[in-house]
Amino acid sequence: MRTFLSLCCGLSLAAIAVGCGGGDSEPAADSQPAGSDGKPHVALIMKSLANEFFSTMADGAEQHQQEHADEYQLTVNGIKDERDLARQVALVEEMVASGVDAIVIAPADSKALVPVLKRAQDEGIVVINIDNRLDSDVLADQGTNVPFVGPDNREGARKVADHLAGQLEQGDHVVVLEGIRTSFNGQQRRLGFEDAMQGAGIEIVDSQSAQWEMSQANQIASSMLSEHPDIKAILACNDSMALGAMAAVKAAGRTGEVEIIGFDNISAVQEAIREGRILATADQHGDQLAVYGIEYALKLLADPEATVEDRETPVDLITAEDLQ
């Protein structure tokens, strides 16, 4: 569906992508050149594929493409470190140069990715934002609109924290492990936690960013447990950080005394919930999240006159009772 020049660029860049398997990004799942058979070519650009949540999202997208192989091509790429914004910007530029028809992206930062996505739109590429919402003010400054397909993160976090509050008493102290602070979804989850704690009369005595990372969460949670020996719970803005907190609680000899909640519903946390080491998490249906974005991109490609608007997807509380 793109030009011969784009096809040539696509062939070159597909070869580069395969060669980068040991570098700073994961290679494409399906590296057919854009427009090689007339089908729309969708590029899915993820955050850390080292994170189970995003690998699950990628798996769901690949399965959907296989089930609809006669309808579109799919290329899946992602960065290994969620803080590597330069690499994710480069991935967008590579996909534009390869001649894709649509980009579905989980941006690592809500602001830094906007300019390059605007340039993609200027090339006539449909852009869909999933997982982490782009900053509305920066989008306005760039004079563009990128539809967001994803859950209400604040509401999802509030659901999990409300469940936690039912296990605590008014006046108890808790701490929060935040994601990257420039990420909209991280901000919304922290606000959801705060909503629930304020409503229950529970005090947040410390809140720090662990950058979505398990190892950083482990270190920070260990310090929090030492500085605040009376805390009753750790509220982690994703499941990787919840696992880091779980290890810190175990090392401090406080398993069973300090409750932990997370967000994402990855398999390792499901096991921990069954074993009673983590209280609850939020399921934003990661295996379908990219699919929702891809289906919307295909709709906009098929009907360029269709109304462009945000689409909210489900997010549910997951407890031990749900996993029986």
Side-chain angles (χ1 to χ4, degrees):
M1 298 183 69
R2 306 285 291 184
T3 66
F4 176 74
L5 178 60
S6 296
L7 173 60
C8 293
C9 292
L11 287 167
S12 299
L13 290 165
I16 293 171
V18 170
C20 289
D24 54 1
S25 68
E26 296 292 340
D30 175 355
S31 297
Q32 294 184 52
S36 61
D37 56 6
K39 293 182 291 189
H41 188 170
V42 179
L44 175 62
I45 300 178
M46 311 288 284
K47 293 195 285 185
S48 174
L49 290 179
N51 182 316
E52 182 188 325
F53 175 72
F54 292 104
S55 63
T56 298
M57 195 185 299
D59 290 344
E62 290 165 11
Q63 181 176 345
H64 182 269
Q65 191 277 331
Q66 291 168 10
E67 294 169 353
H68 300 80
D70 59 335
E71 298 176 19
Y72 73 101
Q73 299 176 57
L74 177 68
T75 295
V76 180
N77 265 307
I79 53 179
K80 290 185 176 179
D81 184 337
E82 293 191 40
R83 298 163 295 184
D84 192 355
L85 302 181
R87 182 57 191 148
Q88 199 176 39
V89 168
L91 280 176
V92 175
E93 292 172 335
E94 291 172 11
M95 291 300 99
V96 171
S98 72
V100 299
D101 299 290
I103 292 174
V104 177
I105 184 168
D109 185 275
S110 296
K111 298 180 179 179
L113 272 295
V114 172
V116 73
L117 294 174
K118 173 62 165 56
R119 292 197 293 275
Q121 289 179 320
D122 290 343
E123 293 291 329
I125 295 171
V126 169
V127 179
I128 303 294
N129 172 203
I130 61 171
D131 181 61
N132 176 35
R133 187 190 291 268
L134 294 166
D135 187 275
S136 58
D137 290 338
V138 178
L139 286 170
D141 288 343
Q142 292 285 322
T144 190
N145 176 39
V146 177
F148 176 73
V149 178
D152 183 332
N153 281 277
R154 185 168 184 167
E155 175 63 14
R158 187 193 59 75
K159 287 180 181 179
V160 183
D162 276 344
H163 179 71
L164 169 67
Q167 315 297 313
L168 304 179
E169 296 180 359
Q170 188 172 4
D172 279 347
H173 290 178
V174 300
V175 296
V176 174
L177 294 173
E178 304 173 38
I180 294 175
R181 285 179 166 167
T182 53
S183 295
F184 184 81
N185 59 346
Q187 296 167 1
Q188 292 298 299
R189 292 175 196 179
R190 176 179 54 78
L191 290 172
F193 287 161
E194 291 177 0
D195 292 342
M197 295 299 98
Q198 290 173 3
I202 296 167
E203 184 179 358
I204 297 175
V205 295
D206 199 354
S207 183
Q208 299 183 41
S209 171
Q211 305 284 311
W212 300 125
E213 296 290 334
M214 187 186 304
S215 60
Q216 288 197 44
N218 179 259
Q219 295 173 6
I220 293 172
S222 295
S223 297
M224 287 174 160
L225 287 164
S226 176
E227 295 173 13
H228 308 283
D230 62 335
I231 61 171
K232 301 296 185 183
I234 300 174
L235 293 72
C237 287
N238 78 352
D239 279 353
S240 291
M241 296 191 296
L243 291 171
M246 185 179 75
V249 168
K250 181 180 180 181
R254 299 191 62 188
T255 299
E257 298 176 11
V258 178
E259 299 284 8
I260 301 167
I261 60 172
F263 197 110
D264 282 341
N265 194 30
I266 66 175
S267 60
V269 162
Q270 290 177 4
E271 180 180 355
I273 291 174
R274 292 189 185 97
E275 295 172 349
R277 293 179 291 161
I278 290 179
L279 178 67
T281 187
D283 185 4
Q284 55 176 326
H285 307 278
D287 62 331
Q288 293 299 301
L289 200 50
V291 171
Y292 296 142
I294 290 169
E295 290 180 335
Y296 194 26
L298 293 173
K299 177 180 179 181
L300 295 181
L301 286 170
D303 181 9
E305 302 302 320
T307 302
V308 177
E309 57 189 1
D310 294 345
R311 292 189 168 187
E312 186 172 316
T313 59
V315 57
D316 300 305
L317 169 69
I318 300 297
T319 67
E321 183 177 344
D322 300 302
L323 297 173
Q324 289 179 352

